[in-house]
Amino acid sequence: MSYPALATRTAVVTGAASGMGAATARLLAANGARVALLARRTDRLDALTAEIAAAGGGQALAVTADVTDQASVDAAAKAVHDAYGRVDLVVNNAGVMLPNPVDDGRIDEWSRMIDTNVTGALRIVRAFTDDLVAAAADGRTADLVNISSIASHVAFPGYAVYGATKAALTQLSAALRTELGPRDVRVATIEPGLTDTELGGHVDNPALRDQLATMFAAIPALGAEDVADLVAYTVTRPRHVNLRHLVTLPTRQA
Ligand code: NDP
């Protein structure tokens, strides 16, 4: 799809090294946006930046960043501001999914998920909210898009903590709308279902890995591009229209 309104936008996409983040960055840039790509794997970001430059259209900036590390987020925000000035579109997409039965007591995984999916998202909100408010005050369109999950509403055994982090992100979005909406900053939550990305690659529980593989075999999953398209659609509505909460599932995932 083509979204000409993106040509005036300056965006930050977290988790842009792979999956939905990479697809979103690619689509925004293809429509003329300037896009800062944040993630930990510099080689992936450099490759995507080169791909975007070769394709023409918008510009991309690779910014190595770990959203669990405040100093890293501070340095990333400075790099983005130095290169692009103020941003008007933030896609809070970085996330990890590390399922295991709760009585396995995997505090290591719980901490990683909470630090990335909740505190990491908050660090990005903290870094770029002033930009969004200022852009909106200038009459521009300003968007914060948080990528949550269907797991914020639907419980799956083994996914208690992951689901809790995504429920927190969904609730955070709702609360932020009450603070930022009156200042004309849109906050949208997108909750995808099964999507074919690298997310399941970190699952270390064999039974849950098999269960995930069975789901992918049974259900034609969404592609990362499907979610990217929804992000682009959402942020190109007229400024007074907020698609505030979107759930997108593969047709065969009930
Ligand atoms: P991927 O694993 O492909 O993408 C996750 C991205 O997050 C990677 O680019 C990764 O890059 C980045 N990331 C992880 N940890 C950090 C960190 N500490 N700091 C910065 N970046 C980080 O999976 P998806 O594209 O599927 O995931 C995107 C979002 O979608 C996640 O929030 C996920 O929870 C959500 N989601 C996914 C679903 C699915 O079925 N795939 C369904 C519903 C929601 P790097 O490792 O280089 O840092």
Side-chain angles (χ1 to χ4, degrees):
M1 292 278 285
S2 175
Y3 297 99
L6 289 172
T8 60
R9 308 295 296 268
T10 301
V12 169
V13 179
T14 69
S18 57
M20 299 176 195
T24 300
R26 205 176 270 121
L27 183 59
L28 296 178
N31 282 277
R34 297 192 298 177
V35 188
L37 319 175
L38 273 60
R40 294 166 303 177
R41 286 172 292 175
T42 308
D43 55 336
R44 293 290 195 98
L45 299 180
D46 286 344
L48 183 52
T49 305
E51 180 196 317
I52 288 170
Q59 304 168 34
L61 175 75
V63 183
T64 306
D66 181 344
V67 299
T68 68
D69 177 342
Q70 187 58 46
S72 177
V73 173
D74 289 345
K78 182 174 183 323
V80 172
H81 289 138
D82 286 350
Y84 287 162
R86 191 169 71 197
V87 307
D88 55 48
L89 167 56
V90 176
V91 184
N92 232 338
N93 164 80
V96 287
M97 180 184 80
L98 308 167
N100 262 310
V102 81
D103 47 355
D104 280 9
R106 291 290 298 272
I107 292 179
D108 59 327
E109 294 186 332
W110 303 347
S111 302
R112 236 182 103 196
M113 286 190 282
I114 293 165
D115 288 351
T116 309
N117 303 357
V118 183
T119 314
L122 275 167
R123 291 186 203 285
I124 295 297
V125 168
R126 179 177 181 270
F128 296 107
T129 294
D130 285 353
D131 285 16
L132 297 177
V133 169
D138 277 358
R140 298 177 60 83
T141 304
D143 286 285
L144 169 65
V145 180
N146 291 324
I147 307 297
S148 180
S149 168
I150 186 64
S152 67
H153 295 286
V154 179
F156 303 99
Y159 289 78
V161 179
Y162 178 71
T165 64
K166 291 301 185 178
L169 186 58
T170 291
Q171 179 60 22
L172 176 68
S173 305
L176 288 178
R177 270 192 288 277
T178 69
E179 297 190 26
L180 299 180
R183 287 180 276 172
D184 295 317
V185 176
R186 296 189 295 208
V187 181
T189 314
I190 297 184
E191 297 181 342
L194 195 68
T195 309
D196 191 9
T197 67
E198 296 180 4
L199 193 72
H202 311 290
V203 179
D204 71 1
N205 179 308
L208 291 173
R209 220 169 32 224
D210 289 352
Q211 184 191 57
L212 210 50
T214 304
M215 277 180 81
F216 274 106
I219 298 170
L222 299 177
E225 296 73 19
D226 297 318
V227 179
D229 185 59
L230 198 52
V231 173
Y233 183 82
T234 300
V235 302
T236 51
R237 295 312 89 205
R239 188 171 181 262
H240 65 289
V241 177
N242 187 15
L243 289 179
R244 65 174 203 159
H245 192 152
L246 300 142
V247 181
T248 179
L249 300 182
T251 304
R252 291 195 177 207
Q253 184 179 10

